[in-house]
Amino acid sequence: PLSRRLACGDVEGRLEALFGRVRAIQGKSGHFDMLLCVGNFFGTTSEAEWSEYRTGAKKAPIPTYVLGANDHETVSYFPDVSGCELAENITYLGRRGLYSGTSGLQIAYLSGTESQDEPAPEYSFSAKDVSELKTSLLSNPNFKGVDILLTSPWPRDVGTFANSAGEIDTKKCGSKLISDLAASLKPRYHFAALEKAYYERLPYRNHTVLQETPQHVSRFIALADVGNTSKKKYLYAFSITPMSLMDPAELVKQPQDVTENPYQKSWKEAQKTKARLCAEEERACQFFFDLNKHQGKKRPSDGKETGNSQPKQAKKPPQPTGPCWFCLASPDVEKHLVVSIGTHCYLALAKGGLLPDHVLILPIGHYQSVVDLSSEVVEEVTKYKSALKEFFRSKGKRYVLFERNYRSQHLQLQVIPVPLDHCTPEDIKESFIAQAQEQQIELVEIPEHSDITQVVQPGTPYFYVELDTGEKLFHRIRGRFPLHFGRAVLASPALLALPQQADWRRCAAGRAAEEEAAQARAFRRDFQPFDFSLRD
């Protein structure tokens, strides 16, 4: 059965204005089953209006469910901490819990604002409250999420990967504990208030593409205060069928404008917590993906795989069909840029580099992509990555590596350092995913225990990013792809702020070979203590 609900932001005691508006909506649009109020239901001047409802002189026109106090001044309006009827048709849900109506709709709620103190004041919640609420729900092995989550504060970082929240800075506003709660409970609708702003975020995913089967999406909606003079939306009407009664295929349909999950850090923790609570112990294993299906399902390696589970054994690399700029034996290679030569790979400064220490890891022989490499070449690529990580960390930097296996014939692993103190792994991933979304590119995080050879077959065009923490983002190229995408993201204002250098040709133009050679000599000298090829 389809339930018709109303959600409301801060009422602040303006009951006549609220219920007048509800009556008008019901008169025009028909009956609604319930009104859910988040934020401050009572204000400092509530008493006169409230006494008429408390004494029964007036009655709410619709069953109304409210959250508790957010400050010391309004605590007295809530006589029973565990929830109670405040007046006819007006119910206080309680400090935290799950409300299941007769319709089967599951509504999780958490009253108050975040507190660092333990125990928290009466108008606040603590980490312990959030943990207990999560545990009570996640301990059910069949738990898939809740239909609705009600909180007063916004979740911190809700604007990540999303449409703008206007004047609200979602990186500073709201509660981290609520982000954690939303990541775990996966509500189909999450309502919040307190910021006197209306914000309907784009829906976000609750599963990792290529790693997990699809799950339902979540929608976050923040509502303004009742009767605000700016005419910001404070009442939201929606229809919802309980998750438990929906056709599973219908439930997990992904809308066109779906984004990545904004609480990725909390979300990963939530996945670990659920696994622990349900005692679903999976042995540490590699994951393999069936790329014939749109969504991969993970399955453990049983040692009988015939695909790309093992790096290919030694064999001669294929020969280029024409001149190649990057085969070390080729007369076309720019040898003055080479800074280190191993047995199977070499390191060279990038021509027209984004920064003076922008380098490439390249196989000496002719391989098109990482997926084509033999095991000993893979091993040496890994050695170069480790050496570069150590080298850049000694200079207060971390590297970002990317590969574009599209419109290129020789593997080039672009390695670009960024400042440690300015660019966190989360900042880097967020920038890549946000700019990918703007260009309708689906860039997804792939599992920590997998590598690129398990996600894609040889010959398939792709783009991937790898941080020196081992975290990876992947896009399977199915049509056109911007050639300078990786470089443009790193050059963007959010990271290196060098937008004029997004195109390498602009940087390479007019640079003398002598100048490039001098730069290479300087890099070679600095890199020498970390260069394993000089010791092997």
Side-chain angles (χ1 to χ4, degrees):
L2 201 62
S3 301
R4 300 181 75 221
R5 310 283 154 143
L6 289 169
C8 176
D10 304 281
V11 180
E12 294 183 337
R14 293 188 277 270
L15 302 176
E16 289 300 288
L18 169 63
F19 293 137
R21 181 88 183 103
V22 169
R23 285 188 192 94
I25 289 172
Q26 295 208 108
K28 188 177 171 185
S29 307
H31 174 75
F32 282 81
D33 304 301
M34 180 186 277
L35 170 64
L36 303 168
C37 297
V38 292
N40 295 315
F41 187 71
F42 295 105
T44 47
T45 56
S46 299
E47 195 48 51
E49 281 191 42
W50 174 238
S51 62
E52 294 187 287
Y53 287 89
R54 187 169 40 81
T55 58
K58 288 184 177 177
K59 177 186 164 184
I62 182 174
T64 301
Y65 295 83
V66 310
L67 293 181
N70 295 300
D71 53 48
H72 181 69
E73 286 72 25
T74 54
V75 166
S76 58
Y77 286 100
F78 303 94
D80 185 344
V81 74
S82 59
C84 57
E85 187 176 80
L86 300 178
E88 190 178 354
N89 251 5
I90 301 177
T91 303
Y92 163 47
L93 286 164
R95 282 192 75 160
R96 62 169 192 269
L98 183 72
Y99 174 84
S100 298
T102 50
S103 68
L105 208 62
Q106 294 213 304
I107 303 171
Y109 57 88
L110 178 68
S111 289
T113 52
E114 181 176 328
S115 169
Q116 302 303 317
D117 299 329
E118 201 75 71
E122 289 175 287
Y123 51 87
S124 294
F125 57 84
S126 65
K128 184 167 179 262
D129 290 310
V130 170
S131 174
E132 286 177 5
L133 177 54
K134 279 164 50 178
T135 303
S136 67
L137 295 171
L138 298 180
S139 54
N140 175 356
N142 299 318
F143 178 78
K144 290 186 173 65
V146 295
D147 292 298
I148 298 169
L149 173 62
L150 305 176
T151 64
S152 287
W154 291 28
R156 177 76 57 86
D157 291 320
V158 70
T160 305
F161 310 132
N163 46 315
S164 167
E167 293 170 11
I168 308 296
D169 181 351
T170 59
K171 286 185 183 295
K172 294 178 181 169
C173 150
S175 159
K176 283 185 179 174
L177 289 176
I178 288 179
S179 302
D180 180 32
L181 184 65
S184 296
L185 301 195
K186 296 184 273 200
R188 291 164 67 203
Y189 284 89
H190 178 183
F191 294 99
L194 296 185
E195 300 298 329
K196 302 196 181 316
Y198 169 66
Y199 174 51
E200 184 167 2
R201 189 203 187 280
L202 289 171
Y204 61 82
R205 288 190 191 97
N206 283 303
H207 67 278
T208 308
V209 179
L210 289 180
Q211 186 180 355
E212 299 171 313
T213 50
Q215 297 184 42
H216 61 271
V217 302
S218 291
R219 290 174 164 83
F220 172 75
I221 294 129
L223 294 161
D225 47 320
V226 170
N228 67 85
T229 53
S230 310
K231 306 278 190 229
K232 290 176 186 168
K233 188 167 181 169
Y234 63 83
L235 208 52
Y236 184 93
F238 65 111
S239 300
I240 184 169
T241 299
M243 191 187 292
S244 55
L245 304 177
M246 282 188 74
D247 171 59
E250 194 62 32
L251 177 65
V252 302
K253 272 189 178 169
Q254 305 289 302
Q256 282 290 308
D257 55 356
V258 69
T259 79
E260 285 297 309
N261 191 297
Y263 321 119
Q264 290 194 340
K265 219 179 267 178
S266 297
W267 188 33
K268 282 176 186 164
E269 286 305 312
Q271 289 172 314
K272 287 177 190 165
T273 304
K274 176 151 175 63
R276 192 182 71 246
L277 290 168
C278 298
E280 296 168 354
E281 283 192 294
E282 281 192 58
R283 63 192 175 88
C285 61
Q286 299 289 329
F287 296 113
F288 299 87
F289 298 92
D290 180 358
L291 290 171
N292 298 321
K293 294 182 181 172
H294 181 64
Q295 289 295 340
K297 286 189 173 65
K298 61 186 184 183
R299 53 194 172 92
S301 162
D302 55 9
K304 298 174 188 170
E305 296 299 323
T306 56
N308 286 313
S309 56
Q310 296 297 322
K312 285 159 287 305
Q313 291 313 303
K315 62 177 182 181
K316 280 192 170 180
Q319 294 305 303
T321 52
C324 178
W325 291 92
F326 299 105
C327 286
L328 194 57
S330 163
D332 297 305
V333 76
E334 303 217 30
K335 291 191 169 60
H336 65 282
L337 293 172
V338 175
V339 293
S340 170
I341 302 175
T343 311
H344 306 286
C345 301
Y346 70 101
L347 206 60
L349 280 194
K351 189 167 182 67
L354 186 55
L355 296 164
D357 44 5
H358 172 176
V359 289
L360 308 178
I361 304 173
L362 303 127
I364 290 172
H366 189 78
Y367 294 92
Q368 182 170 322
S369 74
V370 162
V371 182
D372 298 301
L373 297 178
S374 62
S375 54
E376 65 271 21
V377 184
V378 168
E379 193 181 323
E380 199 163 273
V381 165
T382 305
K383 281 185 174 180
Y384 268 121
K385 284 184 194 171
S386 299
L388 286 168
K389 177 177 178 175
E390 212 181 321
F391 170 62
F392 286 129
R393 288 292 174 106
S394 75
K395 293 182 172 296
K397 299 174 184 180
R398 61 162 46 89
Y399 75 65
V400 181
L401 175 151
F402 63 86
E403 179 198 358
R404 186 195 75 236
N405 183 29
Y406 170 76
R407 290 178 59 181
S408 63
Q409 57 161 330
H410 190 115
L411 165 63
Q412 303 158 53
L413 292 175
Q414 307 271 347
V415 184
I416 298 174
V418 296
L420 266 174
D421 57 353
H422 174 59
C423 302
T424 66
E426 291 306 314
D427 292 334
I428 297 163
K429 286 193 295 184
E430 186 181 318
S431 292
F432 270 97
I433 292 169
Q435 291 194 47
Q437 280 179 190
E438 281 174 24
Q439 299 185 50
Q440 277 79 55
I441 294 166
E442 188 174 43
L443 195 59
V444 296
E445 193 157 359
I446 61 174
E448 283 176 38
H449 300 297
S450 70
D451 70 40
I452 202 80
T453 60
Q454 296 162 246
V455 180
V456 70
Q457 299 294 322
T460 306
Y462 63 85
F463 172 83
Y464 102 103
V465 186
E466 185 179 318
L467 308 190
D468 69 1
T469 54
E471 295 165 281
K472 303 179 188 81
L473 301 171
F474 171 82
H475 169 64
R476 183 172 178 168
I477 300 173
R478 298 177 191 274
R480 293 173 67 83
F481 185 80
L483 298 182
H484 300 301
F485 176 72
R487 186 175 170 126
V489 174
L490 287 165
S492 66
L495 297 176
L496 292 171
L498 299 167
Q500 69 285 1
Q501 286 170 238
D503 187 334
W504 74 272
R505 289 166 299 194
R506 198 175 294 173
C507 300
R511 290 204 34 212
E514 295 78 32
E515 185 190 339
E516 293 176 332
Q519 217 164 46
R521 281 196 298 274
F523 186 95
R524 198 178 299 124
R525 185 188 60 241
D526 290 352
F527 183 61
Q528 202 167 349
F530 305 89
D531 190 351
F532 65 89
S533 73
L534 301 175
R535 299 190 292 274
D536 289 1

